[in-house]
């Protein structure tokens, strides 16, 4: 289990702020570059975005408890 202080910091810093939505720019830029036939860079950006999203989703759902109680 994680400590209460670490849990509170994670929930306040990452879960309750809208900064995660700024990562949505990565697949959009990737789609734009894919249309410009820069496939390697496009898939790299999309892959980085998937990795970040899966990591934060796993941390939020499995490690930390960010309930509103």
């Amino acid at each position: 289990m994680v400590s209460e202080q670490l849990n509170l910091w994670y929930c306040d810093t990452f879960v309750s702020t809208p900064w995660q939505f700024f990562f949505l720019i990565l697949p959009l830029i990737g789609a734009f570059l894919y249309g410009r036939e820069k496939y390697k860079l496009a898939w790299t950006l999309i892959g980085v975005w998937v990795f970040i999203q899966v990591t934060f989703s796993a941390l939020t759902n499995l490690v930390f408890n960010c309930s509103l109680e």
Side-chain angles (χ1 to χ4, degrees):
M1 275 317 239
V2 295
S3 69
E4 176 106 15
Q5 188 176 11
L6 181 61
N7 189 44
L8 183 62
W9 174 80
Y10 178 82
C11 293
D12 286 343
T13 304
F14 295 109
V15 176
S16 64
T17 57
W19 75 268
Q20 293 182 42
F21 296 105
F22 294 119
F23 280 125
L24 290 174
I25 195 78
L26 290 176
L28 292 175
I29 294 171
F32 175 76
L33 292 173
Y34 190 86
R36 301 284 180 174
E37 298 180 1
K38 296 183 179 178
Y39 302 119
K40 186 174 182 177
L41 182 58
W43 281 115
T44 301
L45 287 173
I46 293 169
V48 166
W49 175 74
V50 167
F51 176 77
I52 290 170
Q53 287 299 112
V54 168
T55 301
F56 279 118
S57 293
L59 284 172
T60 302
N61 293 325
L62 302 175
V63 177
F64 296 102
N65 183 15
C66 296
S67 62
L68 297 174
E69 297 176 356

